[in-house]
Amino acid sequence: GAGVSQSPSNKVTEKGKDVELRCDPISGHTALYWYRQSLGQGLEFLIYFQGNSAPDKSGLPSDRFSAERTGGSVSTLTIQRTQQEDSAVYLCASSLVSWYGGETQYFGPGTRLLVL
Amino acid sequence: GQQVMQIPQYQHVQEGEDFTTYCNSSTTLSNIQWYKQRPGGHPVFLIQLVKSGEVKKQKRLTFQFGEAKKNSSLHITATQTTDVGTYFCAGQENSGGSNYKLTFGKGTLLTVNP
């Protein structure tokens, strides 16, 4: 079946504008993650959705960042009043959750955001 | 909160040399996963280790999970240029609750000189 998809693949915006990044997880996957990766850096956890539980927002860097997951499927990450330091690749991943928890995360191709 | 530390941050080797990256968690893990990210690509799952002391092999790659389930290693024998990329470990805490969040290490960037 189809993998995780993200859109847009690239986004250039001006400082101060809002942006929305979309993630379509693999059908049936209950867990969805957003990460940020700056050039040459590791994965910075942003937010985690698991089924109907309250999302884990502990990684969001500021209140300009928010995310929602509608109907337990598609997720949107919104960055308000973008700043140049928000420039990065935003990666989405989804996974199943089994009784012991650990399942493979499948990553999307990412959205490359550039804030001018 | 849980922290996963990975060393080294960078490793440059000559083709044919061996390579090892190490991962340490601040808490006991229920399982650990390894991912590889090629330059310009996204992380791709390699393997998952669940049992204490587990060792798994994939061709030239050997993965180990420590007895205490707090550390892990990835060893590549006789590196090839196709091994270039960043290797991430990711640990899931044995919290016993319903939060199954994976915590990623910062990764080890491997470059191979042909």
Side-chain angles (χ1 to χ4, degrees):
Chain A
V4 178
S5 61
Q6 292 186 245
S7 61
S9 54
N10 292 280
K11 177 72 176 178
V12 180
T13 190
E14 294 179 347
K15 177 181 173 181
K17 295 285 181 66
D18 297 351
V19 295
E20 283 191 352
L21 312 179
R22 177 186 168 105
C23 173
D24 281 274
I26 293 174
S27 178
H29 279 192
T30 54
L32 187 148
Y33 307 74
W34 282 99
Y35 298 92
R36 179 168 69 175
Q37 188 173 36
S38 301
L39 186 63
Q41 300 299 309
L43 296 171
E44 177 186 5
F45 165 76
L46 296 178
I47 189 168
Y48 161 59
F49 296 91
Q50 169 51 41
N52 295 320
S53 302
D56 178 348
K57 304 180 182 180
S58 59
L60 295 178
S62 77
D63 58 9
R64 296 187 296 105
F65 289 73
S66 63
E68 61 178 22
R69 189 179 185 190
T70 53
S73 181
V74 171
S75 178
T76 302
L77 176 69
T78 301
I79 309 173
Q80 296 177 311
R81 305 180 303 281
T82 52
Q83 304 293 312
Q84 288 180 333
E85 60 262 29
D86 299 334
S87 297
V89 176
Y90 289 81
L91 290 162
C92 172
S94 73
S95 71
L96 282 171
V97 176
S98 66
W99 64 271
Y100 64 88
E103 287 290 348
T104 302
Q105 287 197 12
Y106 294 86
F107 282 82
T111 294
R112 195 172 301 273
L113 175 66
L114 177 61
V115 182
L116 301 176
Chain B
Q2 181 193 17
Q3 292 186 338
V4 175
M5 292 145 286
Q6 194 173 350
I7 58 170
Q9 189 174 1
Y10 307 99
Q11 184 77 58
H12 178 74
V13 299
Q14 287 292 129
E15 190 171 22
E17 292 182 339
D18 292 354
F19 159 76
T20 305
T21 174
Y22 301 90
C23 190
N24 283 283
S25 170
S26 57
T27 58
T28 302
L29 301 172
S30 64
N31 67 84
I32 195 158
Q33 300 178 16
W34 285 90
Y35 292 77
K36 178 183 179 181
Q37 184 176 25
R38 294 182 185 273
H42 57 272
V44 174
F45 175 81
L46 292 177
I47 208 161
Q48 178 178 259
L49 305 171
V50 179
K51 300 176 184 177
S52 169
E54 188 170 14
V55 178
K56 287 188 176 180
K57 293 191 176 184
Q58 290 179 348
K59 297 182 180 179
R60 293 178 294 104
L61 277 62
T62 301
F63 303 84
Q64 291 187 320
F65 201 9
E67 294 292 337
K69 299 184 75 173
K70 295 182 73 173
N71 62 303
S72 181
S73 65
L74 158 59
H75 180 81
I76 302 178
T77 303
T79 54
Q80 300 175 359
T81 54
T82 53
D83 296 326
V84 165
T86 301
Y87 293 84
F88 293 97
C89 62
Q92 185 175 65
E93 194 172 15
N94 191 19
S95 65
S98 60
N99 188 344
Y100 301 120
K101 186 180 77 177
L102 277 182
T103 301
F104 279 80
K106 293 192 179 298
T108 297
L109 172 61
L110 172 65
T111 55
V112 180
N113 198 27

